[in-house]
Amino acid sequence: MRVLSGIQPSGQLHIGNYFGSIRPNLEFQGKADQSFFFIADLHALTTVQDGAQLREAREDIVLDYLACGFDPSKSIIYFQSQVPEHTELMWILSTLTPMGLLERAVSYKEKVEKGIPASAGLFTYPVLMAADILLYQADRVPVGKDQKQHLEMTRDIAIKFNNAYGETFALPEPVIREEVAVVPGVDGQKMSKSYGNTIPLFGDEKAAKKAIMGIVTDSRGMNDPKDPDACVIYQIHRLFLSPAEQKSLADEYRSGLPYGEGKKKLLQTYLDYFAPMRERREEYAKKPDAVRKILDAGAAKAKALAEETMGKVRKAVGLS
Ligand code: ADP
Ligand code: TRP
């Protein structure tokens, strides 16, 4: 089994990214035959058009990944832009991708509605994503629910290619954990970098505290019974807990745990949970040369595997 996923370096990571993407990926580490975790820096160019900002975000996200527990002896970690085969395959796939398929992409429409310029790159974003996945013949792709359509498009594109040129690509399956499919933000909507409603994964602890203490609540009286299913604090807090702990916290809410107390408990859980990762992050931050070596080694491994697929693709389409 080959597992692959990526995140764009387009802003500070939040706990929605952690629970929706990073943690489910880490669960495969050591179990999959190969696990790939890459930084989708080419994708980020569709929204980050400031060189200094992208450079900083790339460096940060690498440290974030390593801090969270991606182990370079078990996972292949690299920047997408270090393996030019991604863009080569993207071009070939784009010649088979129907315009209609891309026009139906919800994430493109949402981004344009939010004011992101409608560039050709933004429009063909799903084709690059298909290339990211198909290049390594990945069969499992752990992502949040918002990426489901992109995975369906990847499969459609792979089927088109296989039909046109003969069986070349494995069809990838998304891995979407229902319980973490949509992590709510502090306002109760989906947590997202672009909604300003995030609880940051790392960075200033004060900012995390401010975000947690600002989680929206309803107007129930302080000691009134609360409904954990409708309580954003609980919905976030449960992600950190075992089933038994979730049940006992839900019971506390039902017996009237004041929201303010619930927030303090969540803050403590958050700090304790991420403390060892924060420490590891600081260690890696002190060793930029070692980090660079990890990425270079990851890119070399990825490139060798990418070349295997590209050899077949170039042959199939008549480019070799
Ligand atoms: P954002 O919406 O903050 O820009 P990205 O689109 O960069 O996040 O998402 C990176 C990864 O994290 C994707 O796999 C995505 O599905 C996952 N993810 C992002 N936000 C959430 C969330 N609120 N709940 C669950 N998963 C999420
Ligand atoms: N589109 C994904 C996101 O916004 C990032 C991504 C790019 C990705 N290529 C990928 C995720 C390949 C999984 C597999 O989150």
Side-chain angles (χ1 to χ4, degrees):
M1 188 192 13
R2 281 187 178 182
V3 179
L4 171 143
S5 197
I7 296 191
Q8 300 183 67
S10 55
Q12 199 185 31
L13 290 188
H14 51 74
I15 65 168
N17 299 134
Y18 179 77
F19 289 110
S21 172
I22 296 177
R23 196 171 68 174
N25 267 284
L26 281 168
E27 283 167 16
F28 282 104
Q29 181 167 264
K31 292 188 198 142
D33 301 317
Q34 247 145 3
S35 65
F36 299 79
F37 216 73
F38 69 96
I39 294 136
D41 50 0
L42 296 173
H43 275 115
L45 282 174
T46 58
T47 51
V48 184
Q49 284 159 354
D50 173 326
Q53 196 187 328
L54 183 60
R55 195 166 297 118
E56 199 184 318
R58 285 166 98 235
E59 282 168 15
D60 271 344
I61 208 167
V62 171
L63 295 177
D64 295 345
Y65 275 1
L66 293 170
C68 288
F70 284 104
D71 173 349
S73 69
K74 294 184 186 145
S75 291
I76 303 179
I77 303 170
Y78 57 101
F79 287 120
Q80 184 186 29
S81 62
Q82 285 180 296
V83 185
E85 285 78 359
H86 286 245
T87 37
E88 182 185 358
L89 181 58
M90 179 207 174
W91 175 255
I92 295 174
L93 297 178
S94 77
T95 62
L96 288 160
T97 307
M99 287 293 284
L101 184 76
L102 297 178
E103 276 159 3
R104 285 194 292 278
V106 175
S107 110
Y108 171 76
K109 284 184 227 165
E110 280 177 1
K111 286 177 181 169
V112 173
E113 270 165 25
K114 269 191 238 150
I116 295 171
S119 64
L122 191 68
F123 187 65
T124 53
Y125 180 114
V127 191
L128 180 58
M129 181 154 162
D132 298 337
I133 297 168
L134 300 177
L135 191 53
Y136 303 101
Q137 309 281 1
D139 26 32
R140 294 279 190 291
V141 183
V143 281
K145 207 173 200 163
D146 56 341
Q147 296 298 314
K148 188 165 182 248
Q149 192 192 25
H150 284 155
L151 260 296
E152 285 160 5
M153 294 165 104
T154 300
R155 290 171 63 92
D156 286 347
I157 294 171
I159 291 169
K160 280 234 173 254
F161 189 100
N162 288 348
N163 286 344
Y165 295 112
E167 281 306 309
T168 309
F169 293 121
L171 298 185
E173 297 278 352
V175 179
I176 301 173
R177 293 271 151 77
E178 263 320 306
E179 68 281 13
V180 292
V182 185
V183 176
V186 296
D187 59 356
Q189 285 192 72
K190 175 197 174 244
M191 187 177 292
S192 173
K193 287 172 212 129
S194 39
Y195 301 157
N197 64 355
T198 63
I199 299 172
L201 182 52
F202 298 116
D204 186 7
E205 283 186 5
K206 281 200 207 103
K209 179 173 179 194
K210 192 163 169 237
I212 289 172
M213 298 316 283
I215 294 174
V216 286
T217 51
D218 60 24
S219 55
R220 272 169 225 237
M222 196 149 98
N223 297 310
D224 287 353
K226 318 284 185 310
D227 174 5
D229 293 331
C231 169
V232 180
I233 314 164
Y234 175 77
Q235 290 304 317
I236 297 175
H237 200 155
R238 73 185 173 88
L239 301 165
F240 293 89
L241 304 178
S242 68
E245 291 166 330
Q246 291 182 25
K247 191 175 169 300
S248 104
L249 182 64
D251 288 342
E252 283 189 63
Y253 275 105
R254 289 192 197 96
S255 341
L257 178 72
Y259 288 131
E261 291 304 309
K263 288 178 183 176
K264 281 191 204 144
K265 279 179 189 269
L266 168 59
L267 176 63
Q268 198 52 51
T269 304
Y270 162 93
L271 292 173
D272 293 346
Y273 189 89
F274 291 116
M277 299 184 212
R278 278 180 186 268
E279 235 168 75
R280 202 177 311 148
R281 196 179 188 287
E282 276 167 28
E283 288 307 310
Y284 275 115
K286 286 184 210 145
K287 298 184 286 190
D289 291 342
V291 171
R292 191 152 312 119
K293 274 195 197 133
I294 290 174
L295 289 165
D296 289 346
K301 280 189 213 155
K303 199 175 163 60
L305 295 166
E307 264 311 309
E308 274 178 30
T309 304
M310 283 318 293
K312 288 186 203 153
V313 170
R314 291 185 201 113
K315 194 162 169 219
V317 301
L319 288 174
S320 76

